[in-house]
Amino acid sequence: MHPSSRAKGARPLLVALAAGSLVARPFADPLGAQETAPALEVTAQAVVAYTHLDPIPGRGSLGEVRVVHPLVTLEAATPGGRFAVRGSFNLDGWTVPDGELAIGVWGEGFVDRRHPHTYVHELLLVGRDLLGSRDGRLDLSLALGKGFVPFGTDDPMSRPPLRYPVNHHLSQILERALALGAARYGPVVAEAAVFNGDEPDRPGRWPNLHRFGDSWAARLTVHPVDRLELQLSHADVFSPEHRPGGGIEQTKWSASARWSGPLRGVPVYGLVEWARTSEAGGFFEFETVLVEGAIRIGPHRPYYRLERTERPEEHRAFDLFRSPRPHIENVILGVTRWTIHTLGYRHDVRPRLGALELAPFVEASFARAAKVDDGVFDPETFYGRDRFWSASLGVRIGWGMDGHRMGRYGAAAQPAHGAHRH
């Protein structure tokens, strides 16, 4: 089906979006505080890290020193926070133009490297609590711009491990032009959005606005008790890996449980998630299960992640870290399942320099890749073995931003039972 015809079919959903969301909260540390946003806030972060990966595509090993996750954010709100603008500007295109080494990670034409995000990561205008006191306890909001689709879990950049999970493109949909509605009533939040299905294919790429409205997503979030968040979401994404719209459609599901708060006086963060993506009417299916957690004892923050994710194995380009784009289904050579354990430790340092934050860390990952179908791709043949390890050593640098959450705007951004500190 041509994307323009799908856009027409999605317009009734767009008209029905009587709510939406955007900014008006600062970033929230899963092990830290969440405060009311000021009228204007500028924050920044970057990570300087050495990462070693063994083996790499084509066999052998590789180590690199890179500046990763470089981000500058801006939030500006009118008095009272009724209207706001949120911008997140990512400098990956300058610091890691060829991607960041990461076991098993794939997406947007990169393999075993995390792709650079677009320079304009988020840029949204939001109206919050649009009906004010006229709707009682109901909070309705509307967001327009470029940002995160209401699907799945938090951007991995805001979570404890440095290494992105393999399931990034199964569990999140980001950097799309969207119209998003959100409604909150007590502990329940419902979100829906229409957006363009095409993924970015380079850091300077803007969404293909001719395809706006050819895809949609919805998410339901419930906070049964304070600090506990349960979510279920669904998305239909048209031709994500073929920008003109000639590719196949993805049907996506995600469910998760997230805890962020004290347990017996100790700040604890935990996430359990499941997601599945079906392509070509179920001809290809990729599933993921992930569990991660962290605790904070004074300045000490140990963390752990276990992931089991299936990924497509695509035809490689001359550079074995890359696969051709635009992507079509007949370049999938097989499916592999990646089981990865990641263990890390971070030490927070608070120098007396205003909002400056320093956090040296060390992190290690151990993985196994297994062939799960009858395709021609065999990981042991391609990499030289089916077991992998990586290690990273570095320091996180932040200014006024001790961790952050992206992708929940307006009514969906507010904590269920008020702001909290632990």
Side-chain angles (χ1 to χ4, degrees):
M1 184 180 295
H2 192 274
S4 62
S5 63
R6 292 180 56 86
K8 291 178 182 178
R11 281 172 189 152
L13 175 61
L14 176 59
V15 173
L17 294 177
S21 65
L22 175 77
V23 270
R25 300 291 299 180
F27 296 133
D29 178 2
L31 295 176
Q34 189 171 36
E35 304 286 353
T36 301
L40 176 64
E41 182 179 42
V42 179
T43 64
Q45 73 165 31
V47 180
V48 182
Y50 168 78
T51 295
H52 186 91
L53 176 58
D54 184 17
I56 61 172
R59 308 188 180 195
S61 63
L62 182 62
E64 297 178 343
V65 176
R66 294 287 186 269
V67 176
V68 298
H69 305 180
L71 191 73
V72 178
T73 75
L74 169 68
E75 298 197 17
T78 58
R82 180 63 59 86
F83 297 97
V85 173
R86 173 171 183 151
S88 297
F89 307 99
N90 192 301
L91 305 181
D92 277 340
W94 295 349
T95 64
V96 285
D98 296 321
E100 175 190 0
L101 281 176
I103 292 177
V105 171
W106 63 279
E108 299 182 18
F110 287 78
V111 189
D112 298 305
R113 285 186 180 274
R114 192 265 303 174
H115 61 80
H117 290 102
T118 59
Y119 295 118
V120 180
H121 204 46
E122 296 176 291
L123 186 59
L124 297 128
L125 173 66
V126 69
R128 285 211 59 248
D129 196 14
L130 296 177
L131 299 181
S133 61
R134 292 188 293 276
D135 57 7
R137 295 179 58 196
L138 185 65
D139 183 353
L140 300 176
S141 56
L142 176 66
L144 298 170
K146 180 184 179 185
F148 287 72
V149 172
F151 174 84
T153 52
D154 291 358
D155 185 347
M157 191 186 302
S158 69
R159 288 149 52 181
L162 173 72
R163 187 187 63 76
Y164 264 56
V166 179
N167 72 11
H168 178 35
H169 282 265
L170 304 182
S171 299
Q172 293 90 36
I173 305 172
L174 65 159
E175 298 179 324
R176 303 304 211 274
L178 56 85
L180 185 152
R184 174 187 289 273
Y185 189 84
V188 179
V189 180
E191 303 164 87
V194 292
F195 58 96
N196 62 296
D198 56 293
E199 293 177 343
D201 55 13
R202 60 177 183 265
R205 178 71 81 181
W206 282 90
N208 183 355
L209 295 181
H210 293 292
R211 290 188 49 189
F212 178 77
D214 68 3
S215 303
W216 68 273
R219 178 167 57 192
L220 180 67
T221 303
V222 179
H223 300 84
V225 297
D226 195 11
R227 323 296 173 88
L228 178 62
E229 176 182 288
L230 308 177
Q231 75 85 24
L232 175 67
S233 50
H234 174 78
D236 281 344
V237 187
F238 182 65
S239 185
E241 296 170 325
H242 191 279
R243 182 174 172 85
I248 56 180
E249 184 173 357
Q250 292 183 347
T251 300
K252 304 171 75 72
W253 286 95
S254 169
S256 66
R258 181 183 187 272
W259 173 271
S260 177
L263 289 176
R264 296 189 176 183
V266 177
V268 173
Y269 157 77
L271 173 70
V272 178
E273 72 171 346
W274 166 88
R276 183 178 65 207
T277 293
S278 300
E279 297 185 350
F283 188 81
F284 298 106
E285 287 198 347
F286 309 102
E287 193 165 277
T288 179
V289 177
L290 180 147
V291 179
E292 67 182 24
I295 63 172
R296 187 177 72 184
I297 304 175
H300 308 287
R301 297 197 188 192
Y303 56 86
Y304 171 74
R305 171 191 287 159
L306 171 62
E307 178 186 9
R308 186 179 176 90
T309 297
E310 296 168 349
R311 81 172 192 190
E313 296 296 343
E314 303 169 350
H315 175 71
R316 304 295 175 101
F318 180 76
D319 179 351
L320 296 180
F321 285 104
R322 303 296 297 272
S323 59
R325 286 298 184 271
H327 164 70
I328 54 177
E329 63 271 21
N330 61 10
V331 301
I332 295 180
L333 306 179
V335 178
T336 52
R337 180 182 296 118
W338 294 75
T339 303
I340 306 178
H341 300 264
T342 297
L343 183 66
Y345 168 77
R346 164 180 166 180
H347 185 89
D348 290 345
V349 179
R350 298 284 184 176
R352 295 184 178 180
L353 293 174
L356 180 65
E357 302 148 0
L358 300 176
F361 70 92
V362 60
E363 180 177 303
S365 294
F366 304 90
R368 182 177 183 273
K371 183 177 178 179
V372 297
D373 70 350
D374 296 328
V376 299
F377 185 88
D378 179 70
E380 190 166 359
T381 300
F382 185 75
Y383 292 97
R385 61 179 188 270
D386 62 359
R387 298 182 186 274
F388 303 74
W389 69 271
S390 74
S392 296
L393 178 68
V395 60
R396 295 175 180 266
I397 305 168
W399 182 264
M401 180 165 61
D402 188 6
H404 56 277
R405 294 191 76 180
M406 290 185 180
R408 289 185 176 266
Y409 309 120
Q414 304 302 317
H417 306 293
H420 59 269
R421 177 181 293 275
H422 43 82

